[in-house]
Amino acid sequence: MRIGLAGVGRIGAFHAKTLAALDYVDELVVTDADTGAAERVAAELGLDVAPDAEALLASGVDGFVIATATPGHAPLLRQAIAAGVPAFCEKPVAATLKETIELAELVAATGVPVHVGFQRRFDAGYRRAQAAVASGELGFVHTIRAGTHDQAPPHASYIPTSGGIFRDCNVHDFDILRFVSGREVATVYATGGNKGADFFAEAGDVDTGGALLTLDDGTIVLISSTRYNGGGHDVRMEVHGEKGTIAVGLDHSLAMRSAEEGVDFPRGPQKWSFMERFLPAYQAELTAFADVARGERPSPCTVRDALEAFRIAEACELSRAERRPVALSEIEGSEIEGIDTP
């Protein structure tokens, strides 16, 4: 297959290396607004360079991977859809709820396959948890705890355009919550605080967030996030049920230590970034994209899925700002004709 890749920044360069190593990729062509960056990545990996996304799509590709900065996602996704080329797009597909809704409607109208990059759906632990819930192994589920705790904050310049901690960080928790539980969020109550660098508050954001969610079957969900988890990158989920409990991310890389005497768990080493934590999942999701591009399977994470995660994040931001519970029914986009949620 001939695959095009737009964007060779941190995640884009990471995807380029992953794609170049996959058996199904016969040719990988990259492009970036920073031509020099595209040429450097191409030279390192032995790839071709296109002058821009329009030329890349016009040259004939079997699939198009979008890994630019967030402002480029929606315009490039629209170009791919117009060209009829199956696309893989990093989250978020758009910077606003309104444009995300518009893209969901566009995909529904055109039928062009779009796979959104929520890589946790391809992590072995989360998939095992999903199977445990779906099979009834845990009995009824009453409580779920999920969190995303970054080891260190991103650069100050990133925060003003990030969308805030719930849209940027916890949106992964919101997506995987829907995937594992098979349920939808009914209400949220969110809060946040700042004890770190001033640039979070200056951008109207928080460096630590928390939310209490209630699912449509009454399950209670506790969500947390922080930009300051010095012990390592910590992404986990606990699913508590009537007949048992299962945990994701509970291994010797856990960024936590026991206060109990004689306990040698975890032994380490810790993981320090999301790319290190989810490398196999990133490889698996891009492999799955080949099947999507070939028409062998439907998208495992649709634009509608991305929209639902965005709506939960939007509700959390509204709850934090207004200091009140927010029902998901208050957030636009719950009903879009022609789109089915898996």
Side-chain angles (χ1 to χ4, degrees):
M1 297 181 71
R2 187 170 192 262
I3 301 295
L5 169 66
V8 293
R10 181 173 63 160
I11 192 65
F14 181 73
H15 282 335
K17 291 179 181 178
T18 301
L19 287 163
L22 295 176
D23 291 340
Y24 78 82
V25 179
D26 301 309
E27 185 179 359
L28 179 61
V29 184
V30 299
T31 189
D32 195 285
D34 183 344
T35 304
E39 290 175 346
R40 285 191 295 274
V41 170
E44 177 186 351
L45 299 175
L47 311 176
D48 292 329
V49 178
D52 53 42
E54 185 176 7
L56 192 158
L57 288 166
S59 70
V61 290
D62 302 301
F64 185 48
V65 176
I66 301 168
T68 63
T70 295
H73 291 185
L76 289 170
L77 190 51
R78 289 181 184 278
Q79 287 186 49
I81 293 169
V85 176
F88 175 97
C89 185
E90 276 298 332
K91 68 86 186 169
V93 295
T96 66
L97 178 63
K98 180 177 183 294
E99 192 164 25
T100 304
I101 293 170
E102 292 172 354
L103 284 167
E105 293 173 331
L106 179 62
V107 171
T110 62
V112 176
V114 178
H115 177 180
V116 183
F118 282 104
Q119 84 285 351
R120 294 185 196 182
R121 289 177 177 237
F122 291 88
D123 177 79
Y126 285 108
R127 294 181 76 84
R128 170 71 181 90
Q130 189 272 342
V133 172
S135 69
E137 174 186 333
L138 306 179
F140 64 77
V141 174
H142 53 78
T143 307
I144 298 175
R145 295 190 180 96
T148 297
H149 307 145
D150 292 336
Q151 187 268 333
H155 191 273
S157 62
Y158 174 78
I159 297 303
T161 60
S162 70
I165 201 165
F166 293 112
R167 297 189 191 97
D168 177 57
C169 193
N170 284 127
V171 72
H172 283 283
D173 297 295
F174 302 146
D175 177 71
I176 203 62
L177 170 64
R178 295 181 64 246
F179 176 77
V180 169
S181 70
R183 311 300 308 191
E184 300 296 342
V185 173
T187 62
V188 310
Y189 184 79
T191 188
N194 285 299
K195 290 189 174 181
D198 292 338
F199 60 75
F200 290 101
E202 290 167 358
D205 197 7
V206 293
D207 61 48
T208 301
L212 174 64
L213 282 55
T214 304
L215 303 188
D216 57 8
D217 67 345
T219 302
I220 301 300
V221 182
L222 306 170
I223 297 284
S224 62
S225 56
T226 186
R227 304 292 192 177
Y228 290 95
N229 198 66
H233 188 71
D234 185 16
V235 175
R236 282 179 288 128
M237 174 181 276
E238 300 169 8
V239 184
H240 299 259
E242 167 203 13
K243 297 179 180 178
T245 299
I246 196 166
V248 181
L250 189 63
D251 60 21
H252 284 291
S253 70
L254 186 65
M256 184 184 297
R257 52 197 176 90
S258 175
E260 305 299 330
E261 292 186 10
V263 175
D264 65 350
F265 177 85
R267 293 192 290 273
Q270 289 81 10
K271 293 182 171 67
W272 300 101
S273 71
F274 65 88
M275 287 183 282
E276 183 182 4
R277 167 69 171 83
F278 289 110
L279 176 59
Y282 280 116
Q283 293 169 331
E285 72 171 355
L286 288 172
T287 299
F289 174 58
D291 294 336
V292 174
R294 287 191 291 254
E296 296 175 359
R297 66 177 293 181
S299 170
C301 188
T302 66
V303 175
R304 176 57 187 265
D305 289 316
L307 170 59
E308 291 305 318
F310 199 117
R311 291 179 66 242
I312 299 167
E314 196 84 354
C316 285
E317 286 293 351
L318 179 60
S319 175
R320 180 178 74 86
E322 297 188 358
R323 298 178 181 271
R324 67 174 178 88
V326 172
L328 262 290
S329 58
E330 297 180 48
I331 307 300
E332 186 182 2
S334 60
E335 297 295 334
I336 299 177
E337 292 296 325
I339 303 178
D340 294 325
T341 302

